Structure formats: C-alpha cells, structure tokens
C-alpha cells in the first residue's frame, strides 16, 4: 500500500511531464504554422513563444527531473509526504497559470506572478531534497544531484535580475539579455545536465555495470568548475573586459573537457546495459546531440563568432533545440522508456524513428536557415514549410511514443521495487 503511493508520486510526475510535453509540441506546431500561414490571429506569436518555452522548462523538463530525483534520490518516507503532494499540485497551478497567462498576455502581471510562484516552489524543493537526500546513493550520483539543485537555485538570479532591470525600465536593454542568458545557461548546462548525468550513473549502478569511480569523480569536478565561468562565453557580445573573457575561455575548456570525459566513460556503458535497439537509438541521438552541443560551445567561444550567432535568431534556436530537444528531451524520453514495461505496443518502434528523424531534420533546418541568412541567400518559403513538416513529424513521433509507454507505467511498482539500491 505504502509502496503503491510512493511509486504513484513518481508516476504522477511522469504523467504530468508527459502531458506538458504534448502541450509544448502543440504550441511549437502552432508557432510553425503561424510562420507559413495566417493562423489563430487572436494569439500573438511572441506570447505563444513565451508560453511554449516556459511550459517546456517548468512543466515538461521540471516534472521529469523531479521524477528522477524522487526515484533515485529520496527515501520512501520522503517520497510519501503530504508536503510533497501539496507541492506537486502547486507546481501544476503555476504551470497551468503560466500556460494561460503567457498565451493571452505575454509578460504581464499574472504570468510574472505564476513564474515567481514557480521559483519559490523550486526553492522549497531544493530545501526538501537536500534535507532528505538518501545517504546510501553512490557518491557520484549524490554529488551530481546536489550540484543540479545548486544550479537551479542560482539560475533564479536571472529572473530576479530581470525584475530589477524591469523596475528601472531596462528590461529590454542588453543587460536584460544578460539576465536571460544567465537563467538559460544555468538551467540547461547546470540543473538539467547535472540531473541527467546523475541519472546516467544511477542507471549504470542499478544495472550492475562497472564504471571508473575515480574518472567519474574527476569528471564531476571539471564539469562543476566549468559551469559558472563558461556562462561568460554566452554573453561575449556584451563587450566584456579582457580578463573576464579569459575566465570565460577557461570555463568553456573545462565544460568541454567535462562533457568529453562524461561521454567517453558513460556512452558505451549505457549502450551496453540497453538490450533494445530502439532504446539504443534514443540514447545515441541524445549523446550525439550533446557532443554537437559541446563542439558548438567551444567554437562559439570566439568573440567574432559569438557576435554573429547573437545576431542570428535561427542559429540560436538551432542551438537551443539541439540542447533541449536533441539532448535533454531525448534523454528524458529514454528515462521514461526505461520506466515503462518491456512489452510495448507496436506503435513504439515507428514512434522512435519518427521522433528521431523529425528532431534531426528540425535542428538541421534551423542551422540551415541561419546559414542562408549569413551568406546573404534569401530564405524561401520552403524552409518554413519544411520546418513545419519536421515539427509535425516530431509531434507524431513523440505523441505515439508517450502513448505507447503510458499504460505500461503500472509496472513501475514491480521494477522499481526490485531495483532501488539498498532498499
Ligand atoms: C515539436 C517540438 C518543438 C517545436 C515544433 C518547437 C518550436 C519552436 C518555435 C517555433 C519557437 C519560436 C521560434 C521563433 O521565435 O522564431 C521555439 C522557441 C523555443 N523553444 Fe521550441 N519547439 C519544440 C520543442 C521544444 C522543447 C522540447 C523545448 C525545451 C525543452 C523548447 C524550448 C524552446 C525555447 C527555450 C525557445 C526560445 C524561446 C525564446 O526565445 O523566448 N522547444 N520553439
């Protein structure tokens, strides 16, 4: 009975995240549709972009990261608490509030109110998680999970900074972008990345796959040190003093080294523990996207290139979707896949191929659109139509994927009950 409730909480997080993934894909599709034809004119494009990105970070990714942290990082007693249940409903309230208010009015009173509630909820979760974190986790996972919580807390300086600037009428100044980039960087290169890395080590640990503990500890240290200074390389366009630029370069090298070390020690082992070729495909796609992200970040550390990238919205969007769809979302889908039953519906294999194909096409098309802009070649309507088509393929693939996995989370009880370490 108790276990049922406990697992229910992880399952509730998984279901919640999955619903928000579906919602952001619909919003993404509407946005792409608006770029090829007049559609839903009563909703402003920019308002829907804000709804899409906020629900993506604070609904889809947030809930699945919570599921991972709960499943691997908290003892039964902490997973069953009433406080966590209240927290769960309040997070829904803030995400649904953001979805509606951003879609209708963009940045305004209610959307800011609901986003602020989410920040305070994540502060509470940080306190709760650190207070109750399991002591018997492998130390590498414990360190990554703690690090992730720290970066999630620090990322909130971005919105607070933006609020201060807004009060002075400077929200749309370059300093406003400095705050937004701080938030984005600490979210996906800190909070998201560190939970995922901790989860990858936990999956290996649970499957009894031996990895080099000392290499993993070195990787953690390098990765951790690199996060904050490497932020500087995402604001090189701001015109910073030379010494700060050098700190940024050093951070970028640390970040790159950390990612390479992670990929070189974990990629092969993750594939080894995964028997299914479709599971392998999701993992390969996620880690390949992470490798491309690492290379781009190293290249983007050159001020000239950084300036060109900053001026080119399509390249920024290509980089963001490579990181958030290619790497982060694909790994989270892999986690969901791991949590679902082994006997999956026939929808599953077609869905994985559609998702991977659509996401690859969308990311390549976004970079291509940016490239065409750079070389002064006009972007014909075909590129926006192709982007819409690729978005539709992702939508189909990911929806079938989520549908084919959902009914089988009922086996989570059985699987998790035997696989929690030390339980
Ligand atoms: C089917 C999948 C997706 C589609 C079709 C899609 C589409 C779009 C579109 C059309 C835009 C705005 C483009 C513009 O301003 O010109 C956008 C922006 C964005 N998307 Fe997505 N997206 C998808 C998945 C995701 C996912 C999974 C995430 C995060 C986990 C994400 C995060 C973002 C962010 C952060 C922005 C930038 C927002 C801004 O600049 O304010 N997207 N997306």
């Amino acid at each position: 009975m108790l276990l049922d409730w406990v697992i229910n909480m992880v399952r509730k997080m998984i279901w919640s995240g999955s619903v928000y993934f579906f919602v952001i894909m619909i919003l993404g599709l509407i946005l792409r549709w608006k770029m090829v034809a007049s559609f839903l004119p009563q909703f402003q494009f920019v308002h829907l972009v804000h709804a899409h990105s906020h629900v993506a970070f604070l609904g889809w990714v947030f809930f699945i990261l919570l599921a991972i942290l709960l499943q691997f990082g908290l003892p039964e007693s902490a997973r069953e608490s009433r406080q966590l249940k209240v927290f769960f409903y309040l997070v829904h309230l803030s995400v649904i509030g953001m979805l509606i208010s951003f879609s209708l009015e963009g940045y305004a009173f209610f959307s800011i109110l609901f986003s602020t509630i989410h920040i305070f909820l994540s502060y509470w979760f940080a306190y709760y998680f650190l207070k109750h974190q399991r002591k018997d986790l492998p130390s590498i996972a414990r360190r990554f999970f703690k690090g992730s919580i720290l970066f999630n807390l620090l990322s909130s300086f971005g919105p607070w900074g933006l609020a201060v600037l807004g009060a002075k009428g400077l929200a749309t100044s370059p300093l406003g972008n400095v705050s937004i980039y701080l938030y984005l960087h600490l979210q996906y290169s800190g909070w998201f990345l560190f939970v995922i890395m901790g989860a990858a080590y936990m999956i290996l640990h649970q499957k009894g796959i031996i990895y080099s503990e000392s290499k993993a500890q070195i990787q953690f240290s390098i990765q951790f040190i690199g996060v904050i200074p490497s932020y500087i390389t995402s604001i090189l366009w701001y015109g910073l003093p030379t010494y700060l630029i050098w700190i940024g370069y050093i951070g970028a090298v640390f970040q790159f080294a950390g990612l390479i070390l992670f990929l070189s020690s974990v990629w092969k082992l993750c594939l080894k523990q995964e028997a299914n070729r479709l599971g392998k495909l999701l993992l390969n796609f996620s880690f390949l996207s992470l490798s491309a992200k690492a290379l781009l970040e190293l290249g983007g550390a050159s001020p000239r290139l950084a300036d060109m990238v900053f001026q080119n919205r399509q390249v920024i969007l290509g980089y963001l979707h490579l990181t958030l769809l290619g790497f982060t979302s694909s790994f989270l889908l892999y986690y969901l896949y791991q949590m679902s039953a082994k006997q999956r519906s026939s929808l599953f294999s077609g869905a994985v191929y559609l998702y991977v194909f659509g996401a690859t096409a969308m990311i390549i098309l976004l970079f291509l659109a940016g490239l065409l802009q750079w070389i002064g070649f006009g972007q014909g309507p075909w590129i926006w139509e192709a982007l819409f088509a690729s978005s539709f393929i992702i939508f189909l693939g990911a929806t079938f994927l989520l549908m084919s996995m959902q009914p089988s989370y009922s086996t989570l009880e059985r699987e998790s009950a035997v696989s929690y370490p030390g339980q």
Side-chain angles (χ1 to χ4, degrees):
M1 175 64 189
L2 182 65
L3 183 67
D4 200 34
W5 196 96
V6 168
I7 303 303
N8 264 340
M9 205 56 196
V10 175
R11 204 166 1 138
K12 276 182 192 163
M13 300 282 184
I14 287 178
W15 270 330
S16 309
S18 305
V19 169
Y20 290 124
F21 191 32
F22 182 73
V23 170
I24 62 155
M25 283 188 300
I26 299 264
L27 285 172
L29 212 52
I30 294 175
L31 285 167
R32 286 276 156 234
W33 200 334
K34 273 175 155 308
M35 290 168 116
V36 289
S38 166
F39 183 60
L40 292 179
Q42 59 276 42
F43 289 97
Q44 276 191 33
F45 184 87
V46 60
H47 292 175
L48 292 182
V49 173
H50 288 143
H52 166 78
S53 56
H54 280 81
V55 176
F57 274 51
L58 307 173
W60 154 237
V61 178
F62 190 76
F63 269 116
I64 305 299
L65 296 185
L66 290 186
I68 294 176
L69 289 175
L70 252 66
Q71 193 209 336
F72 293 132
L74 290 184
E76 266 185 41
S77 54
R79 271 182 273 138
E80 69 177 287
S81 81
R82 195 166 288 274
Q83 292 157 295
L84 202 65
K85 210 170 183 179
V86 174
F87 162 80
F88 171 78
Y89 289 114
L90 288 177
V91 175
H92 269 296
L93 176 83
S94 89
V95 177
I96 294 170
M98 279 186 272
L99 172 64
I100 297 171
S101 54
F102 272 116
S103 302
L104 293 177
E105 54 169 21
Y107 268 104
F109 177 77
F110 282 106
S111 53
I112 293 173
L113 176 72
F114 286 118
S115 324
T116 311
I117 292 175
H118 201 288
I119 293 180
F120 282 111
L121 288 169
S122 63
Y123 288 169
W124 180 82
F125 182 77
Y127 157 79
Y128 188 81
F129 184 80
L130 294 177
K131 185 170 169 211
H132 296 286
Q133 195 185 12
R134 296 170 68 118
K135 305 283 180 292
D136 56 349
L137 284 185
S139 84
I140 187 65
R142 209 172 52 238
R143 293 180 82 190
F144 268 113
F145 291 156
K146 271 191 183 161
S148 73
I149 296 281
L150 174 73
F151 291 126
N152 190 28
L153 289 178
L154 292 179
S155 74
S156 66
F157 281 116
W160 291 134
L162 204 57
V164 172
L165 290 169
K168 295 181 176 174
L170 295 171
T172 51
S173 69
L175 266 180
N177 277 329
V178 168
S179 305
I180 293 172
Y181 278 67
L182 175 73
Y183 174 74
L184 288 174
H185 176 82
L186 290 178
Q187 283 277 302
Y188 54 66
S189 295
W191 162 231
F192 299 177
L193 185 68
F194 276 54
V195 175
I196 288 178
M197 286 181 167
Y201 284 113
M202 277 310 293
I203 290 172
L204 294 180
H205 176 80
Q206 285 195 332
K207 296 279 177 82
I209 305 274
I210 312 278
Y211 53 87
S212 162
E213 179 69 27
S214 56
K215 201 170 163 187
Q217 295 292 353
I218 294 172
Q219 188 252 322
F220 171 82
S221 307
I222 293 178
Q223 196 77 53
F224 185 83
I225 294 170
V227 174
I228 291 177
S230 65
Y231 157 64
I232 295 170
T233 58
S234 52
I235 51 163
L236 287 179
W237 43 265
Y238 189 70
L240 299 162
T242 317
Y243 77 94
L244 269 186
I245 296 180
W246 276 103
I247 294 178
Y249 287 158
I250 296 168
V253 169
F254 268 73
Q255 171 136 304
F256 183 74
L259 290 177
I260 297 303
L261 212 54
F262 172 76
L263 288 166
S264 67
S265 47
V266 163
W267 193 341
K268 233 184 176 161
L269 296 179
C270 278
L271 291 178
K272 191 171 154 192
Q273 59 78 40
E274 178 53 67
N276 187 298
R277 75 193 152 84
L278 296 164
K280 283 186 201 286
L281 179 61
L282 273 179
L283 268 176
N284 276 330
F285 182 53
S286 173
F287 288 150
L288 207 64
S289 303
L290 183 61
S291 317
K293 165 184 148 65
L295 285 173
L296 284 178
E297 276 165 358
L298 203 64
S302 125
R304 211 175 107 71
L305 203 66
D307 209 42
M308 281 166 77
V309 167
F310 183 63
Q311 312 290 342
N312 194 318
R313 172 114 181 116
Q314 299 315 316
V315 171
I316 295 177
L317 286 169
Y319 166 80
L320 280 177
H321 288 88
L322 171 73
T323 305
L324 298 166
L325 185 67
F327 164 59
T328 309
S329 299
S330 306
F331 190 91
L332 298 184
L333 285 173
Y334 177 71
Y335 163 74
L336 300 193
Y337 156 85
Q338 280 249 326
M339 288 298 108
S340 64
K342 295 299 168 231
Q343 63 280 45
R344 294 181 184 85
S345 76
S346 50
L347 266 182
F348 184 74
S349 63
V352 177
Y353 286 120
L354 276 180
Y355 168 78
V356 171
F357 174 74
T360 310
M362 179 169 131
I363 292 163
I364 291 177
L365 284 166
L366 284 169
F367 281 109
L368 184 66
L371 190 72
L372 291 175
Q373 185 182 321
W374 265 332
I375 59 176
F377 232 78
Q379 298 150 332
W382 64 269
I383 198 139
W384 310 116
E385 286 158 10
L387 272 165
F388 174 74
S390 64
S391 308
F392 190 66
I393 296 172
I394 304 173
F395 169 76
L396 284 184
T399 307
F400 290 155
L401 199 56
L402 295 174
M403 274 165 52
S404 63
M405 293 190 293
Q406 286 300 336
S408 49
Y409 292 129
S410 53
T411 58
L412 200 56
E413 279 92 326
R414 237 185 311 123
E415 295 197 3
S416 303
V418 290
S419 58
Y420 287 158
Q423 196 164 283

